[in-house]
mmCIF file of all heavy atoms in Angstrom:
data_model
loop_
_atom_site.group_PDB
_atom_site.id
_atom_site.type_symbol
_atom_site.label_atom_id
_atom_site.label_comp_id
_atom_site.label_asym_id
_atom_site.label_seq_id
_atom_site.Cartn_x
_atom_site.Cartn_y
_atom_site.Cartn_z
ATOM 1 N N ARG J 19 70.466 101.066 -31.557
ATOM 2 C CA ARG J 19 69.599 101.356 -32.675
ATOM 3 C C ARG J 19 70.238 102.578 -33.376
ATOM 4 O O ARG J 19 69.928 103.754 -32.965
ATOM 5 C CB ARG J 19 68.193 101.641 -32.116
ATOM 6 C CG ARG J 19 67.506 100.481 -31.574
ATOM 7 C CD ARG J 19 66.121 100.878 -31.088
ATOM 8 N NE ARG J 19 65.453 99.731 -30.512
ATOM 9 C CZ ARG J 19 64.692 98.879 -31.352
ATOM 10 N NH1 ARG J 19 64.578 99.072 -32.665
ATOM 11 N NH2 ARG J 19 64.099 97.874 -30.731
ATOM 12 N N GLU J 20 70.965 102.275 -34.331
ATOM 13 C CA GLU J 20 71.538 103.378 -35.237
ATOM 14 C C GLU J 20 71.309 102.941 -36.727
ATOM 15 O O GLU J 20 71.654 101.878 -37.099
ATOM 16 C CB GLU J 20 72.957 103.566 -34.893
ATOM 17 C CG GLU J 20 73.370 104.131 -33.563
ATOM 18 C CD GLU J 20 74.833 104.309 -33.445
ATOM 19 O OE1 GLU J 20 75.669 103.680 -34.200
ATOM 20 O OE2 GLU J 20 75.179 105.070 -32.562
ATOM 21 N N ARG J 21 70.856 103.915 -37.487
ATOM 22 C CA ARG J 21 70.631 103.639 -38.926
ATOM 23 C C ARG J 21 72.135 103.801 -39.650
ATOM 24 O O ARG J 21 72.781 104.877 -39.398
ATOM 25 C CB ARG J 21 69.721 104.646 -39.414
ATOM 26 C CG ARG J 21 68.285 104.552 -39.147
ATOM 27 C CD ARG J 21 67.449 105.409 -39.877
ATOM 28 N NE ARG J 21 65.963 105.118 -39.593
ATOM 29 C CZ ARG J 21 64.976 105.868 -40.276
ATOM 30 N NH1 ARG J 21 65.271 106.843 -41.144
ATOM 31 N NH2 ARG J 21 63.766 105.595 -40.081
ATOM 32 N N SER J 22 72.350 102.812 -40.369
ATOM 33 C CA SER J 22 73.603 102.848 -41.116
ATOM 34 C C SER J 22 73.381 103.959 -42.246
ATOM 35 O O SER J 22 72.307 104.033 -42.812
ATOM 36 C CB SER J 22 74.042 101.496 -41.642
ATOM 37 O OG SER J 22 74.224 100.605 -40.733
ATOM 38 N N SER J 23 74.503 104.627 -42.621
ATOM 39 C CA SER J 23 74.363 105.687 -43.638
ATOM 40 C C SER J 23 74.093 104.915 -44.910
ATOM 41 O O SER J 23 74.524 103.630 -45.226
ATOM 42 C CB SER J 23 75.561 106.459 -43.676
ATOM 43 O OG SER J 23 76.662 105.629 -43.982
ATOM 44 N N ARG J 24 73.579 105.636 -45.983
ATOM 45 C CA ARG J 24 73.186 105.040 -47.244
ATOM 46 C C ARG J 24 74.610 104.693 -47.920
ATOM 47 O O ARG J 24 74.713 103.670 -48.618
ATOM 48 C CB ARG J 24 72.416 106.043 -48.072
ATOM 49 C CG ARG J 24 72.183 105.571 -49.496
ATOM 50 C CD ARG J 24 71.214 106.374 -50.199
ATOM 51 N NE ARG J 24 69.824 106.601 -49.442
ATOM 52 C CZ ARG J 24 68.948 107.346 -49.954
ATOM 53 N NH1 ARG J 24 69.072 108.063 -50.919
ATOM 54 N NH2 ARG J 24 67.805 107.520 -49.136
ATOM 55 N N ALA J 25 75.669 105.542 -47.761
ATOM 56 C CA ALA J 25 76.931 105.246 -48.362
ATOM 57 C C ALA J 25 77.604 103.985 -47.809
ATOM 58 O O ALA J 25 78.111 103.240 -48.594
ATOM 59 C CB ALA J 25 77.935 106.514 -48.139
ATOM 60 N N ARG J 26 77.341 103.781 -46.575
ATOM 61 C CA ARG J 26 77.951 102.530 -45.960
ATOM 62 C C ARG J 26 77.248 101.340 -46.427
ATOM 63 O O ARG J 26 77.938 100.384 -46.668
ATOM 64 C CB ARG J 26 77.899 102.622 -44.541
ATOM 65 C CG ARG J 26 78.482 101.511 -43.676
ATOM 66 C CD ARG J 26 78.342 101.727 -42.200
ATOM 67 N NE ARG J 26 79.101 100.600 -41.453
ATOM 68 C CZ ARG J 26 79.146 100.667 -40.104
ATOM 69 N NH1 ARG J 26 78.678 101.606 -39.411
ATOM 70 N NH2 ARG J 26 79.666 99.529 -39.439
ATOM 71 N N ILE J 27 75.854 101.349 -46.448
ATOM 72 C CA ILE J 27 75.142 100.237 -46.977
ATOM 73 C C ILE J 27 75.544 99.999 -48.429
ATOM 74 O O ILE J 27 75.713 98.820 -48.844
ATOM 75 C CB ILE J 27 73.659 100.554 -46.903
ATOM 76 C CG1 ILE J 27 73.318 100.643 -45.318
ATOM 77 C CG2 ILE J 27 72.941 99.426 -47.639
ATOM 78 C CD1 ILE J 27 71.877 101.005 -45.179
ATOM 79 N N THR J 28 75.765 101.017 -49.230
ATOM 80 C CA THR J 28 76.112 100.904 -50.634
ATOM 81 C C THR J 28 77.382 100.294 -50.774
ATOM 82 O O THR J 28 77.644 99.390 -51.585
ATOM 83 C CB THR J 28 75.957 102.198 -51.313
ATOM 84 O OG1 THR J 28 74.632 102.715 -51.237
ATOM 85 C CG2 THR J 28 76.260 102.041 -52.842
ATOM 86 N N LEU J 29 78.317 100.749 -49.921
ATOM 87 C CA LEU J 29 79.690 100.241 -50.053
ATOM 88 C C LEU J 29 79.693 98.675 -49.605
ATOM 89 O O LEU J 29 80.430 97.971 -50.302
ATOM 90 C CB LEU J 29 80.637 101.065 -49.144
ATOM 91 C CG LEU J 29 82.103 100.729 -49.174
ATOM 92 C CD1 LEU J 29 82.722 100.910 -50.521
ATOM 93 C CD2 LEU J 29 82.824 101.699 -48.077
ATOM 94 N N ALA J 30 79.076 98.357 -48.607
ATOM 95 C CA ALA J 30 79.021 97.017 -48.157
ATOM 96 C C ALA J 30 78.430 96.153 -49.248
ATOM 97 O O ALA J 30 78.909 95.061 -49.573
ATOM 98 C CB ALA J 30 78.351 96.865 -46.830
ATOM 99 N N LEU J 31 77.337 96.568 -49.722
ATOM 100 C CA LEU J 31 76.651 95.678 -50.876
ATOM 101 C C LEU J 31 77.531 95.555 -52.058
ATOM 102 O O LEU J 31 77.726 94.596 -52.694
ATOM 103 C CB LEU J 31 75.337 96.431 -51.243
ATOM 104 C CG LEU J 31 74.595 95.711 -52.364
ATOM 105 C CD1 LEU J 31 74.180 94.292 -51.762
ATOM 106 C CD2 LEU J 31 73.224 96.539 -52.631
ATOM 107 N N PHE J 32 78.292 96.701 -52.506
ATOM 108 C CA PHE J 32 79.166 96.667 -53.563
ATOM 109 C C PHE J 32 80.309 95.750 -53.372
ATOM 110 O O PHE J 32 80.782 95.019 -54.287
ATOM 111 C CB PHE J 32 79.632 98.084 -53.962
ATOM 112 C CG PHE J 32 80.701 98.192 -55.029
ATOM 113 C CD1 PHE J 32 80.259 98.110 -56.309
ATOM 114 C CD2 PHE J 32 82.134 98.225 -54.682
ATOM 115 C CE1 PHE J 32 81.223 98.146 -57.230
ATOM 116 C CE2 PHE J 32 83.005 98.237 -55.658
ATOM 117 C CZ PHE J 32 82.639 98.288 -56.961
ATOM 118 N N GLY J 33 80.822 95.812 -52.094
ATOM 119 C CA GLY J 33 82.024 94.891 -51.894
ATOM 120 C C GLY J 33 81.690 93.430 -51.901
ATOM 121 O O GLY J 33 82.374 92.677 -52.537
ATOM 122 N N ARG J 34 80.474 93.092 -51.355
ATOM 123 C CA ARG J 34 80.081 91.606 -51.372
ATOM 124 C C ARG J 34 79.804 91.214 -52.883
ATOM 125 O O ARG J 34 80.138 90.104 -53.333
ATOM 126 C CB ARG J 34 78.898 91.539 -50.503
ATOM 127 C CG ARG J 34 79.199 91.596 -49.002
ATOM 128 C CD ARG J 34 77.927 91.689 -48.122
ATOM 129 N NE ARG J 34 78.261 91.984 -46.811
ATOM 130 C CZ ARG J 34 77.398 92.291 -45.810
ATOM 131 N NH1 ARG J 34 76.084 92.351 -46.270
ATOM 132 N NH2 ARG J 34 77.802 92.554 -44.629
ATOM 133 N N THR J 35 79.048 92.103 -53.555
ATOM 134 C CA THR J 35 78.856 91.682 -55.008
ATOM 135 C C THR J 35 80.023 91.668 -55.757
ATOM 136 O O THR J 35 80.273 90.619 -56.549
ATOM 137 C CB THR J 35 77.954 92.815 -55.571
ATOM 138 O OG1 THR J 35 76.703 92.950 -54.861
ATOM 139 C CG2 THR J 35 77.490 92.475 -56.940
ATOM 140 N N ALA J 36 81.069 92.479 -55.564
ATOM 141 C CA ALA J 36 82.347 92.437 -56.310
ATOM 142 C C ALA J 36 83.085 91.072 -55.969
ATOM 143 O O ALA J 36 83.696 90.409 -56.867
ATOM 144 C CB ALA J 36 83.201 93.676 -55.933
ATOM 145 N N MET J 37 83.069 90.711 -54.573
ATOM 146 C CA MET J 37 83.712 89.505 -54.275
ATOM 147 C C MET J 37 83.138 88.275 -54.871
ATOM 148 O O MET J 37 83.722 87.298 -55.399
ATOM 149 C CB MET J 37 83.713 89.377 -52.843
ATOM 150 C CG MET J 37 84.393 88.113 -52.325
ATOM 151 S SD MET J 37 84.488 88.038 -50.410
ATOM 152 C CE MET J 37 85.490 89.568 -50.067
ATOM 153 N N LEU J 38 81.684 88.283 -54.830
ATOM 154 C CA LEU J 38 81.136 87.043 -55.494
ATOM 155 C C LEU J 38 81.312 87.065 -56.925
ATOM 156 O O LEU J 38 81.646 86.020 -57.546
ATOM 157 C CB LEU J 38 79.479 87.262 -55.171
ATOM 158 C CG LEU J 38 78.661 86.168 -55.617
ATOM 159 C CD1 LEU J 38 79.072 84.741 -55.202
ATOM 160 C CD2 LEU J 38 77.184 86.498 -55.439
ATOM 161 N N GLY J 39 81.378 88.173 -57.594
ATOM 162 C CA GLY J 39 81.545 88.335 -59.041
ATOM 163 C C GLY J 39 82.975 87.852 -59.384
ATOM 164 O O GLY J 39 83.174 87.073 -60.350
#
Side-chain angles (χ1 to χ4, degrees):
R19 294 181 178 271
E20 288 184 344
R21 285 187 177 182
S22 299
S23 63
R24 183 173 299 179
R26 183 175 180 179
I27 296 175
T28 303
L29 183 62
L31 183 61
F32 175 78
R34 292 168 185 170
T35 304
M37 180 178 294
L38 181 60

